[in-house]
């Protein structure tokens, strides 16, 4: 009987992780395709409309460092539950009539997702210490599948309702409602702990070389993903692809990432160190970038880039768990890496576009990306073994 209850509690915990993951990308990726409709409704300028996508990234950078402190003070699960409630509130506010509520709601969504992003590796390490690879893989694929799905169905949902883009964004609030309900039950099964235990081995994250290796690895991965997601359609269009064809190639990039976010954590957990996975991911990314800029087998090159970035994402998520000794350390490392990572992600598309404007070609921006892959190789090898010191 006791074993059956433990199995039931375990499955509920897994479902709880999946529901959080489903909420970590969809509220953001569902917005991008709707920007023209939102802009037309409120008559926003291009700069103001673009900020709708920038606000969550800035929130990720600013609020990620606070998540570990909140979890130490109030407890891991209660903070995650509160973040889900804030997420729901933000998603509801986004569909209010006045344009200012769109930005307030978007800010709340960004803050809530930042907290959950940081604390998820700690939750996995605490709740599933013997299955961190599998659960991280489940978490990663759930997040990316729903993120991709939300991006694809946003416009059709808006076109099928008299409420337009509001209905399309509002649909994802129902997912948040289900998550809040599920987690309200999950909290009752959690042991009455006011806080998660402080780290067994105290590490000054910002003074740790290995923490910086993980942080830079995470940052370059985020820089690459958001930069290419932003500019790949324009690059392909300049190479002669129609906008529709370019859209399908961008979908290829995202679809290549998805399976790697599940496979890599499972494989990485079984390895004493992950250096060869790191070397492989950097090599694939570098070859893909060369193929893309030269126009050689473009679709195949984009596929290589997607596999490389997906592998890097899976590794980054596992580094938070494998390089730390307990959930408190995992939360601290995750907070540091994701804060800096999303700061780079916010800067990446702007700086890449600036280099393109400056040089009037794509060669110089791509040289930057290739140089970053070299740096990624060195910091990745440093992040692929040992524990924080």
């Amino acid at each position: 009987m006791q074993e059956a209850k433990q199995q039931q509690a375990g499955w509920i915990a897994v479902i709880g992780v999946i529901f959080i993951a489903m909420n970590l990308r969809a509220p953001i990726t569902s917005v991008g395709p709707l920007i023209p409709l939102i802009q037309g409704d409120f008559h926003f300028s291009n700069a103001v409309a673009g900020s709708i996508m920038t606000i969550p990234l800035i929130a990720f950078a600013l609020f990620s460092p606070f998540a570990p402190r909140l979890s130490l003070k109030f407890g891991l699960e209660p903070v995650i539950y509160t973040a889900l409630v804030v997420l729901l509130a933000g998603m509801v506010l986004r569909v209010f009539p006045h344009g200012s509520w769109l930005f307030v709601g978007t800010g709340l969504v960004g803050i809530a997702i930042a907290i959950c992003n940081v604390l998820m590796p700690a939750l996995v390490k605490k709740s599933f210490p013997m299955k961190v690879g599998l659960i991280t893989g489940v978490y990663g694929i759930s997040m990316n599948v729903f993120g991709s799905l939300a991006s694809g169905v946003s416009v059709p949902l808006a076109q099928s309702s008299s409420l337009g883009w509001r209905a399309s964004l509002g649909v994802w609030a129902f997912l948040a409602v289900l998550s809040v309900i599920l987690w309200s039950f999950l909290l009752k099964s959690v042991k009455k702990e006011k806080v998660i235990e402080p780290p067994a081995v105290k590490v000054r994250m910002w003074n740790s070389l290995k923490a910086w290796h993980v942080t830079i690895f995470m940052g370059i991965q985020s820089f690459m993903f958001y930069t290419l997601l932003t500019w790949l359609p324009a690059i392909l269009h300049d190479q002669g692809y129609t906008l529709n064809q370019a859209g399908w190639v961008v979908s290829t990039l995202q679809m290549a990432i998805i399976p790697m976010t599940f496979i890599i954590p499972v494989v990485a957990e079984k390895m004493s160190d992950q250096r060869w996975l790191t070397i492989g991911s950097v090599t694939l990314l570098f070859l893909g970038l060369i193929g893309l800029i030269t126009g050689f087998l473009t679709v195949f090159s984009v596929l290589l880039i997607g596999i490389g970035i997906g592998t890097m994402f899976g590794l980054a998520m596992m580094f938070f768990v494998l390089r730390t000794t307990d959930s408190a350390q995992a939360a601290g490392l995750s907070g540091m890496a994701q804060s800096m990572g999303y700061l780079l992600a916010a800067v990446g598309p702007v700086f890449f576009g600036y280099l393109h404007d400056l040089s009037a070609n794509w060669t110089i921006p791509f040289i930057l990306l290739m140089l970053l892959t070299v740096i990624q190789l060195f910091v990745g090898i440093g992040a692929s073994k040992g524990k924080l010191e």
Side-chain angles (χ1 to χ4, degrees), residues 3-64:
E3 185 178 346
K5 285 184 177 180
Q6 289 178 343
Q7 287 182 342
Q8 184 180 15
W11 278 109
I12 292 174
V14 171
I15 294 170
V17 167
I18 292 172
F19 267 81
I20 293 174
M22 290 189 299
N23 281 283
L24 295 187
R25 289 294 178 271
I28 297 173
T29 59
S30 59
V31 176
L34 299 174
I35 293 259
L37 299 178
I38 296 171
Q39 191 174 10
D41 197 356
F42 290 121
H43 306 291
F44 289 151
S45 66
N46 288 328
V48 172
S51 69
I52 299 172
M53 293 299 291
T54 306
I55 287 172
L57 294 177
I58 294 173
F60 293 170
L62 293 179
F63 289 90
S64 292

Side-chain angles (χ1 to χ4, degrees), residues 60-62 64-65 118 206 334-344:
F60 293 170
L62 293 179
S64 292
V118 170
W206 297 90
S334 178
M336 174 181 171
Q338 298 208 48
S339 174
M340 297 299 292
Y342 285 113
L343 184 61
L344 279 173

Side-chain angles (χ1 to χ4, degrees), residues 30 34 37-38 41 91-92 94-96 150 153-175:
S30 59
L34 299 174
L37 299 178
I38 296 171
D41 197 356
M91 294 175 75
V92 171
R94 288 195 304 185
V95 301
F96 276 28
V153 303
S154 285
V155 173
L157 283 174
Q159 292 174 340
S160 65
S161 171
S162 59
L163 294 176
W165 62 267
R166 288 185 174 85
S168 185
L169 290 184
V171 163
W172 302 103
F174 287 106
L175 191 58

Side-chain angles (χ1 to χ4, degrees), residues 253-269:
L253 173 71
Q254 296 186 73
M255 294 305 294
I257 289 172
I258 288 173
M260 307 314 296
T261 60
F262 176 77
I263 295 169
I264 294 304
V266 175
V267 174
E269 185 187 12

Side-chain angles (χ1 to χ4, degrees), residues 234-265:
I235 294 166
L236 294 171
H237 189 57
D238 284 354
Q239 291 183 354
Y241 285 76
T242 67
L243 290 177
N244 186 48
Q245 289 171 332
W248 281 108
V249 177
V250 174
S251 295
T252 300
L253 173 71
Q254 296 186 73
M255 294 305 294
I257 289 172
I258 288 173
M260 307 314 296
T261 60
F262 176 77
I263 295 169
I264 294 304

